Amino acid sequence: MPDKSLGIMGGTFNPIHFGHLAAAEAAREAFGLERVIFVPSGRPPHKDSRQVVAPEHRYLMTLLATLDNPSFEVSRLEIDRPGPSFTIDTLRQLRDQFGESAQLFFVTGADAVAELPKWRDYEQIRALAQIIAVTRPGYPLPVGEGFLDRAPGADHSAGGQKPILTLEVPSVAISSHDLRRRVRLGLSLRYLIPDPVRDYIYRNRLYLDQGREEGT
Ligand code: ATP
Ligand code: MG
């Protein structure tokens, strides 16, 4: 039997939107992943906590958004783990859970991949998981310095560290930051996020009374 190949889609998901879902689905298809596990962060170390709604809200919205895709799952690993959410701890836990034969693919957008070298234990993240960097409008994929650039199917057996794989996904210029701004201003969320997530935001009156965010 072939090894399990699991996609891991980390994020704050504050809230989850079609950009995240399109990226995960494209990675699943392109790399033949058995499933993609969405991992909402508990306490993201790099985000202003005043703008981030409670972990349970983000978890439930992620669940609502992914329910109709049998290949998508949501993990509570980071939500339930005390302390700041570091990706390396999550990858280690998933490796323990699924065993050595599982292949882990960490899916990340072009903006986040540029920040990756600053993440805790970056080298070990690279060793534990194959990173897939997906395109995102407005953020060029970083290239050069041995950092990345092999498309799926390319021969990267030349030794050394596994390259980061790049994947062109259907362009969706949506961000959670813009969605929060839209809620505050009473603008439409239609066709940007799944309807159940939109209903959840309105029903729970999320994102209405937060202070202005930088750049809005
Ligand atoms: P915020 O605006 O609050 O930073 P976001 O829209 O960037 O939110 P995150 O939860 O920060 O969403 O992102 C989680 C992951 O999804 C990151 O790897 C990010 O690069 C990727 N991602 C987010 N939006 C898109 C998009 N529209 N297209 C491709 N990848 C995306
Ligand atoms: Mg972001």
Side-chain angles (χ1 to χ4, degrees):
M1 221 174 89
D3 293 344
K4 258 190 197 340
S5 53
L6 303 170
I8 299 150
M9 181 84 202
T12 315
F13 305 131
N14 184 41
I16 189 162
H17 53 69
F18 283 135
H20 301 126
L21 294 160
E25 182 70 351
R28 185 194 65 74
E29 201 168 56
F31 294 93
L33 307 178
E34 187 190 296
R35 52 188 142 143
V36 179
I37 305 174
F38 287 69
V39 189
S41 60
R43 278 144 292 269
H46 307 293
K47 299 230 173 177
D48 178 351
S49 59
R50 284 166 307 175
Q51 313 296 348
V52 181
V53 299
E56 291 301 337
H57 281 315
R58 293 182 288 105
Y59 171 74
L60 283 173
M61 289 190 282
T62 308
L63 210 54
L64 287 170
T66 52
L67 270 179
D68 66 349
N69 188 328
S71 304
F72 285 177
E73 271 177 29
V74 188
S75 163
R76 292 188 57 91
L77 271 185
E78 293 194 0
I79 304 262
D80 291 339
R81 198 168 61 218
S85 300
F86 291 108
T87 296
I88 184 64
D89 299 328
T90 304
L91 292 177
R92 287 196 179 117
Q93 276 183 282
L94 289 170
R95 168 62 69 210
D96 284 349
Q97 191 176 330
F98 290 102
E100 283 305 317
S101 65
Q103 259 190 299
L104 305 182
F105 292 80
F106 185 73
V107 182
T108 178
D111 58 317
V113 80
E115 299 296 314
L116 263 184
K118 295 187 219 150
W119 289 14
R120 174 176 288 195
D121 292 336
Y122 171 63
E123 292 303 325
Q124 290 181 51
I125 292 177
R126 296 279 311 264
L128 270 173
Q130 171 67 68
I131 296 169
I132 300 173
V134 302
T135 51
R136 180 173 186 179
Y139 301 94
L141 276 172
V143 284
E145 292 167 47
F147 184 59
L148 54 89
D149 210 14
R150 299 279 173 86
D155 173 23
H156 47 79
S157 56
Q161 203 169 37
K162 298 189 289 285
I164 290 175
L165 304 174
T166 60
L167 179 67
E168 188 85 34
V169 303
S171 288
V172 189
I174 305 173
S175 72
S176 301
H177 176 275
D178 182 56
L179 292 166
R180 297 191 294 272
R181 183 188 68 89
R182 292 180 134 311
V183 177
R184 249 187 344 267
L185 298 177
L187 300 174
S188 171
L189 302 180
R190 279 185 196 279
Y191 318 119
L192 303 173
I193 56 177
D195 289 345
V197 177
R198 186 174 53 121
D199 294 344
Y200 186 95
I201 290 172
Y202 292 152
R203 209 170 319 119
N204 291 280
R205 305 187 56 75
L206 302 183
Y207 307 118
L208 282 176
D209 52 2
Q210 297 180 346
R212 281 170 69 85
E213 296 181 49
E214 254 174 68
T216 57

